[in-house]
Amino acid sequence: MAQEASSSTSSKTISLKTGDGEIFEIEASAAKQMKTVQRLIDDLGDDITIPLHNVFSKELPKIIEYYKKDITGEITKDFEAEFVKDLNDDEVKVLFLAANYLDANKLFEFLSQNIADRLESKSVEYVRKYFGVENDFTPEEESKLREERAWSFRGIKEDE
Amino acid sequence: MSITVMEAEEQEGHPHMAMFMVLGHLPLYEILTMSNVCKSLLDEINSDVLLWHRLIVESPLNSRLTDETLLKITSKANGRLKTLALMNCIHITDQGLLRVVEQNPYIKELHIPACTSITPEGILKVVEALCERSNCLTNLSINGIYNIQKEHYHMLALNLRKNLTLEYEQTPPPFYHHIQFEHNVLASNLRLDYEEKMQQPVYYHKRGSVSSFKQGENRRIIDLEICPKCVEVRMVYDCPKVDCCKRKECRGCIFCIPRCENCGGCVGSDEPEEGACGDILCLECWLQVPKCNFCNKPYCMQHTDWWCTSTDSSLLCRVCDENSHGYTYTDVL
C-alpha cells in the first residue's frame, strides 16, 4: 500500500495485536517511537492491525502509557519514578525486553537504568537467576576470577 | 521466568543480548558482579572499551579502592576515560588521581566528593592538567574535600573558564555566532547547556549524597559556590518556596540558611521542628507527616524506614521504641 509522506497525522490511531490476541490502540505519533512497529506499518500499511507476537497484554498497556506521556512531552523524573514504583524486578525485566523488541529507545534506556539501579549490591547468584543465565565457569576459572577481584572483597586489609 | 519475549533464536542459559545494554549503567561493583556471572558477560565486559569510558565507584568499593587499583581499572579505557566518579573513595590520593588524569587527558566529568585523602592543591593540579585543552572538563564535584579555601575556588573557576563553555559567560552575543560557525551544533548545544546549568536551581532536599552517583543529571560546572552570606566555599542552595519573601536572595549554605529536609524551603529561626532523626522540618511539612505516638516527633523523608510499630500497631520512633522495652508490664499498669 502506497504510504503518503504525511499519512501519519497526529490524530490517526494504529491497532496493535498482542501475542495473546488482545488489541490495543495507539496514536500514530506514539507508534513512530517504536521502530519495530513503525517498520511493520511501513510494510503492512497503517490500516491493518499490527501483530506483535512477542509482546503480551500484560505489558503493552504500560508501554502505551509511557509513550502517551512522551508525545505530550510530559515525561519527568517524577513520572518515571512513579511508572516503575510498584513494579517488581521481574515485571521491569519483561517491560525491558518488550521495549527492546519494539525498538522503543527512550523507554529502553530508562528501563536499562532502572534495572541497573535494582541490581545494586545484588549477588552473582541473584543476577544469574534474574537473567536466567547458567554458570559456565569451571571451578578453576572461578577461583582465578576471585583472585583478581580479591581487592574488592570485604575484610581485605586496608592500607592504614 | 517469564518467556514472553524470549526470541526463538535465544540460547537457553545465555544472557539475552539486551542485558548487555544494562552494563553501561552500572557502577564498578555491579560490573564486577556481572563479570562473574558467565563467560559471555565476562568477555563482553573485558572487550567493550566503551564501557570503561565511564567509571563509577561507590559503596562498598569506595573504602577498598587504592591508587594502584584505580590506575589499573582506568587503563581499560585506553586513554579515553570521559566520566570518573569516585564517591567517598577515602584512599585515593592526589598522586593517584593525577596519574589517572595524565593517562586520560580527555576527562569531561570529574566527581570526587568526600575523597578525603585528596587535597585542594591536588585538585588544582588535576584541573589545570585537564583544562590545558579547551572544552575538556565540564563538570567538577568536590563537596566534602577538606580545607577548600576561597583562593582554591577562584583558581579552579579561573581554570574552568579557559574551557569553552565558560567563555560564553563573558563573550557578547556576536561572538557566539562566530563560535557557532566554527563549531556548529556543538557550540549552540554547549551554550544552551551552560546557560541552563548556571540557572539550574540547587535544592537542599534534592541534594543526594556523596555515597551514590546520580547519573544523567543536569549539573553545575562546579558543585560548590561561595556562600553569599558567610563567604565560605560551600554547597549553596536555592529556595523552592514560591512565596519566599526574598526568593532570589534566599540563597546560602546550610549553615547560613537552615532548610527543611522534606521540601528544601528555608526555615526561619523561630520555626524549625526537629524530627526524631535530628533533622529539621519546616512547620508546613511537620504538620503533614506522621508522628510518633509517644514523643510526637516525625521522621524526615530520608528516614521513614526508621519507623517502628508498637504492640497496638501505632507508630513509634526508634528512640521511644527502645525506651519502651525498658518498661515492665507492671509499670504500664
Side-chain angles (χ1 to χ4, degrees):
Chain A
M1 205 120 188
Q3 287 285 312
E4 304 282 351
S6 54
S7 65
S8 51
T9 57
S10 52
S11 52
K12 186 153 176 86
T13 58
I14 310 282
S15 294
L16 302 176
K17 186 164 169 194
T18 64
D20 51 347
E22 276 195 47
I23 301 200
F24 295 90
E25 303 278 323
I26 55 164
E27 310 221 356
S29 45
K32 264 205 155 92
Q33 305 299 326
M34 306 181 206
K35 299 215 195 87
T36 305
V37 174
Q38 190 56 49
R39 276 195 289 268
L40 287 167
I41 293 174
D42 292 342
D43 286 342
L44 304 171
D46 54 8
D47 293 322
I48 295 190
T49 303
I50 306 289
L52 299 174
H53 300 300
N54 275 354
V55 185
F56 292 76
S57 51
K58 189 146 188 279
E59 54 262 20
L60 188 56
K62 208 66 174 130
I63 297 175
I64 292 176
E65 179 197 329
Y66 185 88
Y67 277 103
K68 254 208 181 91
K69 274 281 183 178
D70 184 42
I71 54 182
T72 58
E74 279 172 30
I75 294 200
T76 59
K77 286 266 178 254
D78 289 336
F79 169 74
E80 286 182 332
E82 266 306 303
F83 188 78
V84 290
K85 192 169 74 151
D86 296 322
L87 300 176
N88 66 32
D89 291 350
D90 278 320
E91 287 166 335
V92 171
K93 185 178 63 180
V94 166
L95 269 179
F96 168 76
L97 292 173
N100 178 53
Y101 172 77
L102 293 170
D103 207 349
N105 195 52
K106 192 164 178 169
L107 179 60
F108 183 75
E109 281 297 313
F110 160 54
L111 292 175
S112 301
Q113 180 64 59
N114 191 246
I115 289 183
D117 294 339
R118 286 165 189 258
L119 290 179
E120 192 189 323
S121 299
K122 291 289 195 295
S123 69
V124 176
E125 261 319 302
Y126 180 90
V127 175
R128 283 195 186 124
K129 262 214 296 272
Y130 185 62
F131 288 166
V133 167
E134 274 166 22
N135 179 11
D136 55 356
F137 289 119
T138 66
E140 295 79 32
E141 286 168 334
E142 276 196 315
S143 68
K144 181 158 172 277
L145 282 175
R146 250 198 305 276
E147 243 179 76
E148 287 170 8
R149 273 192 68 176
W151 71 272
S152 68
F153 293 140
R154 194 192 288 274
I156 289 297
K157 251 192 312 199
E158 301 190 332
D159 45 324
E160 297 302 340
Chain B
M1 188 190 85
S2 163
I3 55 166
T4 53
V5 288
M6 290 271 278
E7 282 146 359
E9 322 82 61
E10 263 313 296
Q11 284 180 287
E12 266 303 311
H14 281 252
H16 193 291
M17 293 306 287
M19 303 306 180
F20 289 164
M21 302 308 290
V22 174
L23 292 174
H25 296 272
L26 292 171
L28 180 63
Y29 182 75
E30 285 73 18
I31 293 183
L32 293 180
T33 301
M34 295 288 265
S35 68
N36 279 17
V37 165
C38 68
K39 283 188 181 165
S40 35
L41 275 169
L42 177 65
D43 285 338
E44 175 65 22
I45 288 169
N46 281 340
S47 57
D48 185 1
V49 181
L50 285 180
L51 184 65
W52 297 100
H53 285 186
R54 181 167 66 177
L55 180 64
I56 298 167
V57 182
E58 303 173 333
S59 172
L61 298 181
N62 64 310
S63 55
R64 299 173 197 162
L65 187 71
T66 60
D67 286 344
E68 215 181 289
T69 316
L70 176 62
L71 194 61
K72 198 157 148 232
I73 296 173
T74 52
S75 66
K76 293 168 101 103
N78 284 350
R80 293 270 156 189
L81 185 62
K82 285 221 316 256
T83 300
L84 180 60
L86 304 173
M87 315 302 286
N88 190 213
C89 293
I90 55 181
H91 297 297
I92 301 301
T93 66
D94 292 342
Q95 295 77 14
L97 184 61
L98 189 60
R99 273 204 303 262
V100 171
V101 163
E102 281 165 353
Q103 288 191 5
N104 295 276
Y106 304 108
I107 294 176
K108 279 192 121 56
E109 288 192 36
L110 182 61
H111 305 283
I112 45 175
C115 288
T116 48
S117 298
I118 294 180
T119 69
E121 290 76 18
I123 300 176
L124 266 173
K125 277 216 191 85
V126 158
V127 169
E128 275 166 12
L130 287 175
C131 289
E132 270 169 15
R133 290 170 187 72
S134 67
N135 188 27
C136 199
L137 191 61
T138 58
N139 288 108
L140 179 68
S141 302
I142 49 176
N143 187 26
I145 306 248
Y146 297 143
N147 283 327
I148 301 183
Q149 305 298 331
K150 289 180 276 302
E151 300 74 44
H152 301 125
Y153 184 81
H154 286 307
M155 279 302 290
L156 286 172
L158 197 68
N159 270 284
L160 288 165
R161 259 170 233 284
K162 292 198 298 187
N163 199 298
L164 190 64
T165 48
L166 273 169
E167 280 177 15
Y168 291 136
E169 191 189 11
Q170 291 154 335
T171 46
F175 189 47
Y176 293 164
H177 299 311
H178 170 66
I179 293 204
Q180 267 171 11
F181 281 124
E182 305 244 315
H183 300 280
N184 300 322
V185 176
L186 177 66
S188 55
N189 281 346
L190 283 174
R191 179 179 49 143
L192 285 171
D193 270 352
Y194 171 77
E195 281 168 4
E196 256 174 55
K197 280 174 189 171
M198 285 317 279
Q199 279 159 21
Q200 284 275 316
V202 178
Y203 293 132
Y204 180 65
H205 61 309
K206 303 252 186 226
R207 70 195 182 278
S209 73
V210 296
S211 43
S212 85
F213 178 67
K214 289 219 187 107
Q215 304 194 28
E217 270 190 358
N218 272 332
R219 278 176 241 274
R220 298 199 162 187
I221 311 252
I222 310 186
D223 57 342
L224 300 181
E225 276 181 66
I226 305 225
C227 173
K229 303 212 181 285
C230 64
V231 203
E232 294 293 332
V233 182
R234 299 245 163 83
M235 286 293 293
V236 171
Y237 299 104
D238 297 90
C239 200
K241 278 186 173 168
V242 176
D243 53 354
C244 184
C245 54
K246 315 179 216 103
R247 182 118 184 268
K248 288 239 164 172
E249 291 160 37
C250 189
R251 299 192 79 242
C253 68
I254 196 60
F255 301 103
C256 295
I257 303 181
R259 294 192 176 276
C260 170
E261 281 292 332
N262 280 17
C263 71
C266 53
V267 176
S269 47
D270 47 345
E271 271 188 64
E273 303 290 343
E274 200 183 75
C277 45
D279 296 319
I280 62 168
L281 294 172
C282 66
L283 188 59
E284 276 159 36
C285 290
W286 186 92
L287 287 170
Q288 288 169 25
V289 292
K291 323 264 188 311
C292 171
N293 265 14
F294 254 60
C295 62
N296 205 34
K297 285 187 176 176
Y299 273 127
C300 75
M301 224 161 44
Q302 294 201 42
H303 295 122
T304 47
D305 53 343
W306 285 12
W307 281 122
C308 310
T309 20
S310 67
T311 40
D312 60 355
S313 308
S314 56
L315 276 182
L316 272 191
C317 73
R318 275 187 182 174
V319 180
C320 295
D321 186 52
E322 277 167 19
N323 290 344
S324 74
H325 291 147
Y327 294 127
T328 63
Y329 184 68
T330 47
D331 285 351
V332 171
L333 280 180

